[in-house]
Amino acid sequence: MQGACMSVLCVCICVSVLLRSAISQSHTESDTYTECTDGYHWDPQTEHCKDINECETIPDACKGEMKCFNHYGGYLCLPRSASVIPAPEPPITPTEAFNPCPVGYEPQGDSCVDVDECERDEHDCQPSQQCINTLGAFTCQCPDGYRKVGTECIDIDECRYRYCQHRCVNVPGSFSCQCEPGFQLAGNNRSCIDVNECEMGAPCSQRCYNTYGTFLCRCDQGYELGPDGFTCNDIDECSYSSYLCQFQCVNEPGKFSCVCPEGYQLLGTRMCQDTNECETGEHQCTEAQTCVNIHGRYQCVDNNRCQDPYVQVSENRCVCPVNKPACRDLPFSIVHRYMSITSERSVPSDIFQIQATSVSAGAYNTFRIRSGDDNGDFYIRQINNISAMLVLARAVSGPREYTLDLEMVSVNPLVSYQGNYQTSSALRLSIYVGPYTF
């Protein structure tokens, strides 16, 4: 029995010696430990491992357009546009008392309950991160628009995913969509819809047509679009051609009009027609006169134009009595006629036909210009025995007046009249040449 006790005592003493030796050895090793894992170095002042800032110790840690970001135990090379919220240094906590529960739990009576590190502020989440408690641990959640890389929150470049229809602008933690000119953002803030500039005060001076993404200005008839693409300028149609109007073209805003000279009236929209003042009553002729309409004006002629030795026998007809000696070498009768022609008429041109009213049997008739054609502007072309044509030989310009005596000489060998078988009659033709070609 005594031997047994001695044996047990020896075991107890040995265990005690071994425990003291182990405690002494552990204390000795703890006093001399100075090695840390990669990315850390021993700080003799705090007697803890401290993170190495590789961005400061390693020359050109990141190449090209990349930027160096230090974090615990290493570093990151990220684009310079990246936004990083640095994590704070982990707090140095004193040696905690022995906890028989798993990590993240604490004893409560005979059981272990979860520790809410977020509520106790016993977490290492960044100020911009949200701490979310889990059973036995916690997680750090980044704000919207960021993603977690290690302990850092890196901005997500949403523009890489083509969320916008037109243009995307990335900003820290978010993005915005922009539209091209002529479009505006739709209600979803991503799609672009056409803007109707015509309803929003487009600077068109006359007509506006909306198109996809823009608009077009157009002008009314008679106008043309200016160099600025907005203003409508009047077209001077009169400057384009001298043939728009027969007489004169007058430009007006958006159009043109034709006018005629005094004594003429517009025929349609461009032509000019002589005004017959004798028919409209716009003349000043007396009752003793006859109104003769001519191109551009009128002429008042006496009702009796017979001159001695002629006497009037009917309207426009004068006869020279055979019993008057002065009538021997004159035409037996003179008939007055009037006509008007335009200036610069094409030649040769038939202008007046002479027709005998009575012809004796066996008579032979010839026609000639007895007087009034001193410059040879006319000639007679005989058609047959009883008619002839007065022809304009040269182009003449007005205003001008001719008085031609056109004579028909009749020779009848079967009839003897006072011993003379030749008689004549004349047509006194007053020709008025108008001032214009119309």
Side-chain angles (χ1 to χ4, degrees), residues 6-307:
M6 290 179 65
S7 175
V8 172
L9 178 62
C10 179
V11 171
C12 291
I13 293 171
C14 290
V15 170
S16 176
V17 171
L18 288 172
L19 286 173
R20 281 199 298 271
S21 176
I23 292 171
S24 175
Q25 182 179 358
S26 175
H27 178 73
T28 303
E29 289 178 358
S30 176
D31 290 341
T32 60
Y33 179 78
T34 59
E35 294 184 2
C36 301
T37 60
D38 291 342
Y40 295 86
H41 68 89
W42 179 257
D43 186 356
Q45 294 181 354
T46 61
E47 295 186 353
H48 286 84
C49 290
K50 186 177 182 180
D51 177 58
I52 299 173
N53 190 343
E54 292 85 356
C55 294
E56 295 180 354
T57 60
I58 300 176
D60 298 330
C62 296
K63 304 297 183 180
E65 296 297 323
M66 307 298 282
K67 184 178 179 181
C68 181
F69 291 88
N70 184 61
H71 72 98
Y72 297 116
Y75 66 96
L76 298 173
C77 290
L78 301 174
R80 293 185 180 274
S81 59
S83 177
V84 178
I85 303 176
E89 292 286 339
I92 301 174
T93 58
T95 305
E96 299 179 357
F98 175 73
N99 184 5
C101 295
V103 177
Y105 292 84
E106 64 182 3
Q108 187 176 10
D110 295 335
S111 61
C112 294
V113 295
D114 175 59
V115 175
D116 190 344
E117 295 88 352
C118 299
E119 183 178 350
R120 294 184 180 184
D121 200 21
E122 295 177 357
H123 61 85
D124 58 356
C125 295
Q126 302 178 29
S128 62
Q129 295 175 343
Q130 180 182 1
C131 178
I132 300 176
N133 186 62
T134 60
L135 291 175
F138 64 91
T139 60
C140 297
Q141 181 173 311
C142 292
D144 292 340
Y146 290 84
R147 60 186 175 92
K148 198 172 182 182
V149 178
T151 59
E152 311 292 343
C153 288
I154 307 299
D155 174 53
I156 298 174
D157 186 2
E158 295 87 353
C159 295
R160 293 166 47 191
Y161 303 104
R162 299 186 179 274
Y163 289 141
C164 300
Q165 182 179 357
H166 283 183
R167 290 195 306 244
C168 179
V169 179
N170 186 60
V171 295
S174 184
F175 69 99
S176 63
C177 295
Q178 296 179 352
C179 296
E180 300 292 343
F183 296 87
Q184 64 183 7
L185 276 176
N188 59 11
N189 290 326
R190 295 187 178 186
S191 302
C192 293
I193 57 176
D194 175 58
V195 174
N196 190 338
E197 296 87 350
C198 299
E199 295 179 354
M200 300 176 65
C204 297
S205 61
Q206 290 185 355
R207 298 181 184 178
C208 179
Y209 295 93
N210 184 60
T211 60
Y212 189 70
T214 184
F215 65 96
L216 296 173
C217 294
R218 291 293 181 264
C219 299
D220 297 332
Q221 184 175 1
Y223 294 85
E224 61 184 354
L225 201 62
D228 60 359
F230 309 131
T231 307
C232 291
N233 301 320
D234 174 57
I235 297 175
D236 186 1
E237 296 88 350
C238 298
S239 65
Y240 289 165
S241 174
S242 60
Y243 297 100
L244 291 177
C245 299
Q246 191 173 34
F247 177 64
Q248 183 179 355
C249 178
V250 178
N251 185 59
E252 299 177 17
K255 60 180 181 178
F256 70 96
S257 61
C258 297
V259 296
C260 296
E262 185 178 2
Y264 293 82
Q265 60 186 358
L266 202 61
L267 179 62
T269 59
R270 301 187 179 188
M271 307 299 290
C272 290
Q273 177 179 270
D274 173 58
T275 300
N276 192 334
E277 296 87 353
C278 299
E279 292 183 356
T280 62
E282 301 174 5
H283 62 85
Q284 303 295 326
C285 299
T286 65
E287 293 183 357
Q289 295 177 319
T290 299
C291 179
V292 177
N293 184 66
I294 58 180
H295 284 87
R297 57 192 180 96
Y298 64 94
Q299 189 77 18
C300 294
V301 296
D302 294 335
N303 292 336
N304 184 5
R305 301 191 66 184
C306 300
Q307 299 175 352

